[in-house]
Amino acid sequence: MAVSEGTDSADEVIKESSTPPEQATGKLPTSGKKRSRNGCMNCRRKRRKCSETKPTCEGCQARSEKCEWGIKVTFRPENAQTVGDEYRSLFRPSSNSKVFQIVDITAEIARDYITEVPTPEPLPESLDEVVTELISPQLQDFPPKAILDLPSPVFPLPEITSSHSLGVDFFDFTGSTFLSPHFSDSTFEDGIFVPGSQYQELHVELRSKLMDTARSTVPSRVQSCVPSRRASVDATAEALQMLHDGPVIGITDIDEESRRLAQLSPAQEYVLWQNYISEVAPWLDKFDINRHFELVLPIWAKDVEHLKYSMLALSARQIELKEHKLELATSLALYQHAIHLLSPALAQRTTVVLASSVVLCVLEMLSCSPKAWRRHLDGCAALIQALGITGICGGAEQAIFWCFARMDVCGGLISLEQTLIPMSKWIGGGALAEDVRLLQAKDNCDTKANHIEYLLGRVVELLCRFGRWEQRHQDPNFVYTHKQYVSHWLELFDHIETWYRNRPQELKPILVIPAEHSDPPSTFPTVMYPNCPAISGNQLYHTAALLMLKHKPASLHLSTKPRSMLWHARQVCAISMSNSNHACWSNATQPIWIAGQLMSHTSEHRAILELYERMEREMGWATKWRAKDLLDHWGDLQS
């Protein structure tokens, strides 16, 4: 990006009309107003400022209204839906008869409440040495601590087993903020995940196990309930021998048994699979030209039960939301069965385990309160970092990463906080310029779309780190100056504009009709794109540019005048209205909200509200909450 002429060095490219007062203190003023949640119920319901005077606040007294104080409680009929005691997946018989003993894991539990990560015990150098020790009679006298904690024997699938499953240098979680409990804010209503509900209990169970798996870089503890010493030795030796020799030939087909346990008839399963392939998978494959979630994961699911039931649970939940069903028994039963199957497999740390975790994460995002999204994302964020997966690792792992990354950025835009996976870990280069170089080296359509997703994540990071958003969990140790903010802003905005100028033909529109030339005339222009990466990629560009221009340093003058914020906002809305693509709509709710705040005409308001209503009706994704926020923002301007 070029800047004002007349500069002689890199330090003088910033032209400032006057020295801002912030330079004296080295800090930027935070934007926004301080908000309080201590107002009366009447003012909070009307979104009015409350004086908090008891027993009657000044606002209610002036309006001659009843002033009520208390806690807002919402009762919903779906919260009473649970899986009955007769649900047979809870009573699946064990394949082996084992004798259990109680093990004291007090020290282990205490470990999770301190920041220091214990040094793991070193793994044996030779697999054969471990097997020899396990079958040695002298092992009878070993203490329980010497028994390796390996998962129950499974049938490994070489073609889908991640290279990260064994022998990898996992991410160091010491000091990682995304594992902190303050990211799981409990102040929001959380959809069907309300305290006491079966959905909430299952979510807590899965999140806890994901966190524990991510923290444990190697097996270093005994399970809460372990078999007797002889049974543990036999099972562990069998598991190690299977890993050593490869897959067992002649795996019994247990599809019918699994279907019986999940209480699905073949006709019901057909409907769920059909909905997943035609409706849900395109959401997840939006920027993946190889369509892993549609073409690869269903093949894996034929042999991996926890992936199968995770995908069926997501499909069932989407149908329930789309058809406004209060009965949640189908999705809840499948969700519960998937978690029961996935939990013991988490220790494998394979690609298919990560796939199941992300699919269940999408289900939770579809069902929870949007403002509580981070609570449902941090478990998967921890696992992805533990496996060392990035946005350029290739194959199914890359597709899974970007599926999660889109949710992570969306959650950051909603909560005004940085992404759960730090941006320096997304690509591998660390610095912005190096990451951009690595992304530009991948010359294909889907990587170009992922590139602008990455840049939008960097915008979120910039606005949070430099205090432009009043985020709840600002890092107090980060010291910044106005000059640093200007420098970072210039670099990032230049990358965003370069992406738009250099986008390939596949990401450019195939038809553009100005609003005044439409027949009949329309409120927004028609901008038609040929594919999902083009539709969402350009919408993400306009969102990123809009946010950057909104928070442009007042003292900064650019030699080339950029497009206006209003132009970018109208493009964001026009793209969703011109391209009725459900996959692209799934991540359009927040960009439309950001753009809608700049609209002032009643016809624009009506068009946006109608679009939100159509998106929720056709897809099941919640949009009414953002429509209500826009109505409150427009105030007297609404029709």
Side-chain angles (χ1 to χ4, degrees), residues 135-152:
I135 62 177
S136 174
Q138 286 81 1
L139 189 60
Q140 298 292 334
D141 300 325
F142 278 15
K145 185 178 181 181
I147 301 175
L148 293 178
D149 177 22
L150 292 178
S152 299

Side-chain angles (χ1 to χ4, degrees), residues 454-468:
Y454 165 82
L455 291 177
L456 179 57
R458 284 288 190 178
V459 172
V460 174
E461 178 190 53
L462 176 72
L463 300 181
C464 290
R465 291 187 67 195
F466 286 89
R468 293 294 171 154

Side-chain angles (χ1 to χ4, degrees), residues 9-69:
S9 66
D11 294 334
E12 297 175 351
V13 297
I14 303 170
K15 180 180 178 181
E16 302 184 3
S17 57
S18 61
T19 302
E22 303 89 59
Q23 290 187 355
T25 61
K27 295 185 177 181
L28 290 174
T30 57
S31 59
K33 300 179 180 179
K34 299 292 184 182
R35 303 188 64 181
S36 170
R37 293 190 175 95
N38 300 324
C40 70
M41 296 297 297
N42 194 31
C43 290
R44 290 168 62 187
R45 193 162 42 243
K46 295 176 178 293
R47 294 178 178 266
R48 301 289 182 85
K49 180 176 177 61
C50 182
S51 65
E52 302 181 11
T53 305
K54 297 184 179 180
T56 303
C57 70
E58 296 176 0
C60 292
Q61 186 174 5
R63 296 190 297 268
S64 300
E65 297 175 349
K66 183 178 179 181
C67 189
E68 300 175 343
W69 299 85

Side-chain angles (χ1 to χ4, degrees), residues 258-316:
S258 298
R259 186 179 294 134
R260 182 186 68 82
L261 292 172
Q263 299 178 338
L264 278 180
S265 67
Q268 290 173 321
E269 185 174 339
Y270 169 78
V271 171
L272 295 181
W273 275 120
Q274 186 181 51
N275 182 71
Y276 175 85
I277 297 296
S278 61
E279 180 68 21
V280 178
W283 301 353
L284 314 179
D285 284 329
K286 180 163 55 176
F287 289 171
D288 181 16
I289 58 176
N290 294 315
R291 295 152 57 191
H292 284 86
F293 282 91
E294 178 184 349
L295 302 180
V296 178
L297 265 65
I299 305 303
W300 293 358
K302 293 169 63 177
D303 298 307
V304 184
E305 287 189 275
H306 58 74
L307 179 59
K308 170 185 175 180
Y309 286 101
S310 298
M311 297 162 73
L312 293 178
L314 173 58
S315 179

